[in-house]
Amino acid sequence: MSNIQSNVTVHTGTFTKLNGQKRTMRFVKYEDVPASIKGQSIRAMSSGFETVYDIESKGFRTFNNATVIGEVTRVTESVNFSR
C-alpha cells in the first residue's frame, strides 16, 4: 500500500446525488493527486461529473458539478493519500 503526504488544494462541496440524496464531500481534483496514487486511467464521465479523490473515504469517487448546492470552497492543506 502506498502512502504519500502532499500539500494540495482541498475542495469542499455539496451536491445532489442521482438518487436525490445530498452529499458533502472533501476532495482533491484528479489532476492534483500524486501520480503514484492515481493507478489506472479514469473512465469517461457524463457531462458535469468528475473523478475526485475523497480525502475522508481515502478513495476515488464521483463528484457531480451539475447539481452543486451553494459554492465549492478551496483551501490548501496537507493530505495523506493512500492506495
Side-chain angles (χ1 to χ4, degrees):
M1 177 178 276
S2 299
N3 286 307
I4 296 176
Q5 193 80 23
S6 184
N7 286 330
V8 292
T9 301
V10 174
H11 305 262
T12 302
T14 300
F15 65 98
T16 303
K17 295 170 40 174
L18 292 175
N19 66 6
Q21 293 179 328
K22 296 189 180 0
R23 170 135 191 239
T24 298
M25 187 185 304
R26 295 183 68 233
F27 63 92
V28 176
K29 291 190 175 251
Y30 187 81
E31 59 266 18
D32 296 332
V33 174
S36 62
I37 299 300
K38 288 181 182 178
Q40 303 174 15
S41 60
I42 60 173
R43 61 187 166 107
M45 294 274 172
S46 298
S47 180
F49 292 89
E50 73 176 305
T51 298
V52 298
Y53 184 87
D54 183 331
I55 63 171
E56 293 169 352
S57 297
K58 301 268 186 224
F60 291 99
R61 302 288 184 270
T62 301
F63 188 83
N64 187 347
N65 288 293
T67 63
V68 168
I69 300 166
E71 289 187 45
V72 176
T73 60
R74 295 182 293 252
V75 296
T76 300
E77 62 182 78
S78 183
V79 173
N80 183 27
F81 292 91
S82 60
R83 180 172 181 258

